[in-house]
Amino acid sequence: MFKICEQPLLLNVERAEGESSAVIIGRVERAREIQLERFKGTRVHCNAHMAPRQIRQFCDPDAAGHRFLEVVTETLGFSVRAHTRILKVARTIADPEGAESIREHHIAEAVQYRSLDRKQF
């Protein structure tokens, strides 16, 4: 016969303080305002719908970001289409921070999302 333990199992897990929903909503709203201002007077309303000219204008990474993107593109064999999508996602990641240029960590995060998107067989 098994005896059921009467004491609860306690896990020693540290809980990191996360952001409140209000803080996250504020960041998202700020990013949307940036995008609305960026595309004012055009048919585009968000980064995902940028045309090639707009990508060149608004998604220019800083020097470190550019080098990182080149290395990642070569190493992982990303297509031109994937390269473009990474830039759009990196711009979207940079917007809530209010960053004017895309930095290396924005590209790294976008690459991680792209890697999750790829089928792994």
Side-chain angles (χ1 to χ4, degrees):
M1 280 267 176
F2 292 103
K3 182 177 177 184
I4 297 175
C5 182
E6 294 174 11
Q7 294 182 350
L9 178 63
L10 300 175
L11 299 175
N12 187 11
V13 177
E14 291 184 35
R15 293 183 185 248
E17 280 297 315
E19 292 178 299
S20 70
S21 295
V23 170
I24 294 170
I25 289 169
R27 262 199 352 258
V28 170
E29 287 174 348
R30 204 167 43 251
R32 292 294 299 140
E33 288 170 8
I34 289 169
Q35 290 177 34
L36 289 173
E37 182 64 30
R38 177 181 296 138
F39 302 120
K40 195 174 189 176
T42 70
R43 291 181 171 202
V44 175
H45 62 275
C46 67
N47 293 335
H49 298 139
M50 283 189 273
R53 189 181 102 249
Q54 293 164 321
I55 294 167
R56 285 190 298 276
Q57 182 179 359
F58 300 119
C59 298
D60 190 29
D62 65 6
H66 186 72
R67 281 190 304 274
F68 181 73
L69 185 55
E70 281 182 354
V71 169
V72 167
T73 299
E74 274 186 39
T75 304
L76 299 177
F78 287 145
S79 65
V80 173
R81 183 172 180 264
H83 181 274
T84 300
R85 291 182 72 175
I86 289 168
L87 283 174
K88 288 180 186 181
V89 172
R91 175 74 269 163
T92 302
I93 294 166
D95 282 346
E97 295 177 12
E100 297 240 355
S101 66
I102 296 172
R103 298 188 189 112
E104 184 176 7
H105 69 276
H106 301 134
I107 293 172
E109 187 173 341
V111 167
Q112 287 177 338
Y113 294 138
R114 179 68 182 158
S115 296
L116 290 173
D117 212 19
R118 295 179 99 182
K119 291 181 181 179
Q120 304 289 323
F121 291 102

